Amino acid sequence: MDQTVDINQTWPDTIFAHFKRVDIRQVGYVPDAGHSRLIQRCIDDPDIEDVVLTTEEEGVALVAGASLGGQRGALLMQSSGVGNCVNMFSLIKNCGFPCLVVVTMRGEWEEFNPWQIPMGSITEECLRLSGFSTYRIDDPARVDEIVGLACDRAFGESTAIAVILSQILIGKKDWR
C-alpha cells in the first residue's frame, strides 16, 4: 500500500487517504454536509464498512467494537454530536480503546443557526475533558500533517484523538 498522501487532493480526500494508510475498516457517521465528500469516499470503498448511525454515541460503541474485533474504526460527527457522546466517551477512556473522531464545527464563523453556537463554543473543551487530545484545523494546507499525526497517535498509542475541522475550513453553509 502506498504510504504517501497527495497534497494536491481536496482536504476530504486527504483525510480519506490517511484512513486507507492506517487501514481504517469501519467508519460511523450521522449524515452531515460538512463530511459529505469523506462519507461518500467511505461508502464507495469496498474495504470500508460505512455505518449510518441513528445518534453519535452509537459510533463510540462502533469504534470500541472494531478494536475488540481487531479492526480500526473512525467516527465522523458534527460538533453538536459531541454533546450526545459525553457519557459514552468514558468507555473509550476507561477501556483504553483507540478512538479517532473527526468533528466538523458549527457555531463558529458565519453560523446562520443560533442553536449551534452554545455547543460549538464548548466542543473542544468537552472533548479534552472526556480524555481526548485535540487537533484543530483552520487551514487546508495543514490537513495532511495534522490528520496524519492524529491517525498515527490514535492507533499507535491506543489513545483518543479528535480532529476538529473549523467552520472556516469546511466553508459557509448556505441554505437558500
Side-chain angles (χ1 to χ4, degrees), residues 35-63:
H35 279 305
S36 61
R37 183 175 174 86
L38 179 55
I39 290 169
Q40 192 59 53
R41 293 293 310 268
C42 293
I43 290 169
D44 292 344
D45 190 304
D47 295 328
I48 293 178
E49 186 69 34
D50 66 284
V51 180
V52 181
L53 307 169
T54 306
T55 182
E56 292 84 358
E57 57 264 47
E58 293 174 347
V60 177
L62 177 82
V63 297

Side-chain angles (χ1 to χ4, degrees), residues 79-92:
S79 55
S80 55
V82 171
N84 295 338
C85 294
V86 171
N87 282 334
M88 283 296 290
F89 284 151
S90 64
L91 175 69
I92 300 299

Side-chain angles (χ1 to χ4, degrees), residues 88-108:
M88 283 296 290
F89 284 151
S90 64
L91 175 69
I92 300 299
K93 185 173 184 173
N94 289 330
C95 296
F97 291 119
C99 184
L100 178 65
V101 177
V102 182
V103 180
T104 54
M105 287 302 298
R106 293 291 306 269
E108 297 183 331

